[in-house]
Amino acid sequence: ILYLNASWQETDGGQLRVYLQDSKSEENSEIKHLDILPIAGRLVVFLSDTFYHEVLPATRDRVSLTGWFLTR
């Protein structure tokens, strides 16, 4: 994912949330995740079929280019 959002602020929302594998800690049942702001020029590469992920609600339009590499 290549983000194209100029002047994006944390308060705009729209973060990509990636859930980490084996993410439940023994101390609590909270699931660990990584939130990535869609800042212009930021490139995020991950195995989308391996990591559960979602886009959090945004308060303004969010623009990105997304591509997938597929193998047989």
Side-chain angles (χ1 to χ4, degrees), residues 1 6 36 46 67-68 71:
I1 305 168
I36 302 165
F46 64 101
W68 294 269
T71 60

Side-chain angles (χ1 to χ4, degrees), residues 17-21 23 31-34 51-54:
R17 176 167 285 177
V18 178
Y19 294 94
L20 305 176
Q21 293 178 328
S23 61
I31 296 175
K32 294 181 184 178
H33 61 270
L34 177 63
F51 292 92
Y52 289 112
H53 58 283
E54 64 177 316

Side-chain angles (χ1 to χ4, degrees), residues 7-67:
S7 305
W8 198 269
Q9 302 295 315
E10 190 168 349
T11 55
D12 295 327
Q15 294 91 334
L16 171 66
R17 176 167 285 177
V18 178
Y19 294 94
L20 305 176
Q21 293 178 328
D22 301 326
S23 61
K24 285 191 178 183
S25 65
E26 293 180 16
E27 297 87 38
N28 60 43
S29 60
E30 223 175 283
I31 296 175
K32 294 181 184 178
H33 61 270
L34 177 63
D35 288 344
I36 302 165
L37 282 174
I39 296 170
R42 179 170 282 168
L43 177 66
V44 181
V45 179
F46 64 101
L47 299 172
S48 62
D49 64 339
T50 302
F51 292 92
Y52 289 112
H53 58 283
E54 64 177 316
V55 175
L56 301 180
T59 59
R60 56 183 266 209
D61 288 341
R62 183 179 173 277
V63 182
S64 63
L65 294 173
T66 302

